Amino acid sequence: MAAAERLFAEHGLSAVSHRQIAQAAGQRNVTAVSYHFGTRTELVRAIMTRHGEQADLFRERYVALAESSDEIRDWVVALVRPVPEYLASLGNPSWNARLSVQVMTDPTMRTLVTEQAIARPNLRRVLDGLGRRLAHLSPEVRAARGEMARHLIVHTCADREGALAANTGVPPASWDRTAAALTDAIAGLLTAPATLHTPKRKGDT
């Protein structure tokens, strides 16, 4: 799984074969991946599930704090902070954030992983809590902003993870500062006023 995660993160999901993964893992049997996981989809799901469950444990204490607050920002903290904190715990180099970008750009994988993620108990509590505090927005606006927030978290964390791995000598922002910046941005995104759209009339351009 570790070898597959690194190769997928560095080269993309479709560019890595089962043979390459087995060789990178030091397995003489090139069918080892198929034997243990069956398909590429199941392998990716296993990797993302392992990380997702661990990150959800990081989220637990933030949810406990948020549930005593009506402030949207406190709920955004519970949404955002566990991700960079978990990535920081992996050390350097790590590949999970960059793998997450690959997963989010693959429609099938994205649907599979997202459905699993939102079923995790602590993330589900955060999403429900935010939903109640953003009930004044239409479902369409909430869904669109949720998608934007997810992209911000995934891509920003992947950029930092890549910068750390590149070791260019220029230190990137700390994971703590990354978490703070993401919290500011997503709190602003979720609480921004929504533009009212009126249906176009026949003949309008």
Side-chain angles (χ1 to χ4, degrees):
M1 288 174 69
E5 182 177 20
R6 174 175 60 81
L7 291 174
F8 286 146
E10 292 178 340
H11 304 292
L13 298 179
S14 61
V16 179
S17 68
H18 284 188
R19 177 184 293 272
Q20 289 172 308
I21 294 169
Q23 290 173 341
Q27 296 288 324
R28 293 183 180 180
N29 182 2
V30 296
T31 66
V33 175
S34 297
Y35 176 79
H36 288 288
F37 298 98
T39 66
R40 183 191 314 270
T41 298
E42 290 304 314
L43 173 56
V44 173
R45 176 159 62 177
I47 295 169
M48 297 300 289
T49 295
R50 182 182 65 179
H51 285 295
E53 289 175 348
Q54 291 299 311
D56 206 48
L57 295 178
F58 276 67
R59 183 170 281 110
E60 188 168 11
R61 65 189 179 93
Y62 288 109
V63 178
L65 293 171
E67 285 182 329
S68 63
S69 172
D70 284 325
E71 295 293 328
I72 288 177
R73 185 181 178 84
D74 292 333
W75 287 92
V76 174
V77 168
L79 175 70
V80 172
R81 274 211 166 260
V83 179
E85 283 192 6
Y86 173 67
L87 291 169
S89 76
L90 298 177
N92 181 42
S94 63
W95 294 274
N96 182 244
R98 286 171 286 170
L99 173 60
S100 296
V101 169
Q102 300 290 341
V103 169
M104 288 300 106
T105 56
D106 181 291
T108 301
M109 293 289 191
R110 181 177 66 241
T111 299
L112 184 67
V113 170
T114 300
E115 287 177 349
Q116 284 191 322
I118 62 177
R120 293 191 182 102
N122 292 318
L123 181 56
R124 184 70 264 163
R125 289 160 68 190
V126 172
L127 296 177
D128 289 345
L130 279 170
R132 289 191 297 272
R133 285 154 184 82
L134 296 170
H136 59 284
L137 298 174
S138 70
E140 293 79 12
V141 170
R142 291 201 303 272
R145 292 186 182 184
E147 183 72 8
M148 294 176 198
R150 181 169 60 184
H151 279 286
L152 272 174
I153 294 170
V154 169
H155 285 274
T156 301
C157 288
D159 286 347
R160 169 168 165 73
E161 185 182 71
L164 282 171
N167 193 23
T168 60
V170 180
S174 68
W175 281 117
D176 185 66
R177 288 192 176 186
T178 300
L182 279 169
T183 299
D184 291 342
I186 292 173
L189 169 66
L190 295 179
T191 57
T195 301
L196 296 177
H197 294 282
T198 55
K200 286 186 177 181
R201 295 172 301 176
K202 188 175 181 180
D204 287 349
T205 58

